[in-house]
Amino acid sequence: MLNRRKFIKGGTALAASATILSCNTEDQTEKVNNPNSKEGLPISIATWGPNTAAVDAAMNEITNGKTALDAVEAGAKVPEGDPNDMSVGYGGRPDREGKVTLDACIMDAEMNAGSVSFMQNIKHPISVARRVMEKTPHVMLAGEGALKFAREEGFEEIDLLTDQAKKEYEEWLKTSEYKPKANIERHDTIGIMAIDTSNKIAGACTTSGMAYKMHGRVGDSPIIGAGMYVDDEVGGAVATGVGELVIKTCGSFLITELMRQGRTPQEACEEGVKRIAAKLKDFENYQVGFLAINKKGEHGAFAILKGFNYAINQGGKTEVFESEYLVKN
Ligand code: SD4
């Protein structure tokens, strides 16, 4: 059971029609912590249960003396290269024109950030995002420009559309209905964060975006502050789900700033979801999940709907936990 704030005791505040709680930290009589959260560094943590291999790959980098930045890149590359993960990289579901277009971003403890959006034909967009960060004066490259840069950097071009994704797309064409269905479409976008043995944080996020989106659509995942944000003084947050809701509320930045003001990672994630619920109509029809960590290695997670889970590697153990959620009925 969550150790909830006094004013939401009784549980009804977590119903769909939840009254939106004040942002004033003085209102809090007790801190809300995630029951699965504990202090401990180093740590790697990622959205969605199937990403255990990703958090393990990240931790492997850290135990081999690499940085948190190396760790989150290595972690993100796991689902990017996996054709069975149909929300990320190679094997991702295409847009409504049958094209797989990828979004990714990365950020380190020194506020360096890089991103690519609407990029085609490259298996590891997270590595291109890192090159944008390290080799250009910019933060984000999009579309043809991102692909041109990737080519110049020596990345190989491949066809990202697998037979399975093509088959599902052809089936989808029969109705051509765009209705993102939470946890049915399987949002497996990876948002991953790590803190290394030098206590430095980094974050990454990578996705093929919403299946059957309009050609040219860019989601939250490549947007620093929306799909991912880290601040070495505080911690960081990542998002998954319907990106439009996350962009409009600057989700990951909001959560990081709430932690700066004294919220626990759990409180900050809950407030991030409640901000969406307070401001955006029809939020109950969409899934958004947030995951946050602070610099002690404590974590929090919260989603609009049931079904969001996450993977964590901490204290020599890899575990998957289910997230709490807002809409209970
Ligand atoms: C997007 N946030 O493009 C991504 C989708 C996602 O798992 O998280 N899918 O809106």
Side-chain angles (χ1 to χ4, degrees):
M1 286 292 285
L2 289 179
N3 178 20
R4 303 216 164 273
R5 270 163 274 180
K6 219 181 212 167
F7 50 73
I8 61 170
K9 268 182 185 157
T12 49
L14 286 182
S17 58
T19 311
I20 302 314
L21 305 175
S22 160
C23 285
N24 186 346
T25 47
E26 285 169 19
D27 287 346
Q28 294 173 45
T29 52
E30 36 184 324
K31 289 280 174 195
V32 178
N33 285 310
N34 186 304
N36 302 311
S37 168
K38 51 184 182 294
E39 289 183 21
L41 300 174
I43 182 175
S44 64
I45 187 165
T47 54
W48 301 110
N51 284 322
T52 48
V55 293
D56 289 350
M59 189 53 74
N60 197 37
E61 293 289 292
I62 292 171
T63 41
N64 285 329
K66 299 277 186 59
T67 64
L69 184 67
D70 295 323
V72 293
E73 181 187 5
K77 284 174 80 168
V78 173
E80 279 184 346
D82 179 359
N84 296 318
D85 187 321
M86 299 185 75
S87 300
V88 183
Y90 177 60
R93 292 188 181 86
D95 65 17
R96 60 187 67 175
E97 295 184 10
K99 301 199 168 86
V100 182
T101 73
L102 305 177
D103 294 338
C105 74
I106 195 161
M107 189 169 189
D108 73 10
E110 276 72 47
M111 289 283 254
N112 298 306
S115 154
V116 290
S117 62
F118 186 46
M119 187 176 70
Q120 297 183 47
N121 297 343
I122 301 291
K123 194 175 191 175
H124 292 300
I126 200 66
S127 300
V128 185
R130 182 169 177 176
R131 299 281 176 93
V132 173
M133 172 176 119
E134 290 175 341
K135 294 199 164 179
T136 82
H138 306 304
V139 170
M140 181 185 280
L141 292 179
E144 267 305 310
L147 181 59
K148 180 169 179 274
F149 172 71
R151 264 189 221 117
E152 286 164 6
E153 286 295 310
F155 288 86
E156 183 198 355
E157 275 185 80
I158 61 160
D159 184 1
L160 298 171
L161 189 67
T162 56
D163 289 346
Q164 178 61 26
K166 191 166 176 228
K167 209 167 113 199
E168 287 187 21
Y169 167 64
E170 283 165 357
E171 198 53 38
W172 175 81
L173 278 177
K174 291 179 187 162
T175 57
S176 298
E177 250 189 337
Y178 182 70
K179 274 196 195 152
K181 289 196 184 121
N183 308 321
I184 289 175
E185 184 182 293
R186 294 223 48 184
H187 296 284
D188 285 341
T189 292
I190 184 169
I192 181 166
M193 294 172 286
I195 300 176
D196 60 27
T197 50
S198 309
N199 283 2
K200 293 283 183 194
I201 195 168
C205 188
T206 180
T207 188
S208 51
M210 301 301 295
Y212 319 129
K213 61 194 175 184
M214 289 175 70
H215 188 61
R217 181 265 190 187
V218 170
D220 60 315
S221 305
I223 299 175
I224 301 295
M228 184 276 295
Y229 195 76
V230 294
D231 182 323
D232 204 48
E233 284 176 15
V234 179
V238 289
T240 183
V242 181
E244 280 73 8
L245 283 69
V246 179
I247 294 173
K248 286 190 250 189
T249 52
C250 296
S252 294
F253 181 73
L254 171 66
I255 288 166
T256 307
E257 289 308 300
L258 288 167
M259 289 192 291
R260 191 194 306 280
Q261 291 165 21
R263 301 290 177 110
T264 65
Q266 185 63 29
E267 289 168 341
C269 287
E270 293 191 17
E271 191 65 34
V273 169
K274 285 169 190 157
R275 183 69 56 89
I276 290 174
K279 301 275 186 187
L280 305 179
K281 288 195 194 89
D282 297 339
F283 69 91
E284 307 101 314
N285 297 326
Y286 304 107
Q287 178 64 306
V288 169
F290 289 119
L291 190 58
I293 54 169
N294 64 19
K295 287 298 300 290
K296 292 188 258 179
E298 294 171 318
H299 77 267
F302 204 65
I304 299 178
L305 303 173
K306 191 175 178 183
F308 174 48
N309 51 22
Y310 55 97
I312 179 166
N313 184 318
Q314 186 183 34
K317 263 202 339 221
T318 305
E319 290 173 284
V320 172
F321 296 119
E322 292 298 317
S323 168
E324 265 285 348
Y325 54 96
L326 184 69
V327 178
K328 292 288 188 183
N329 45 10

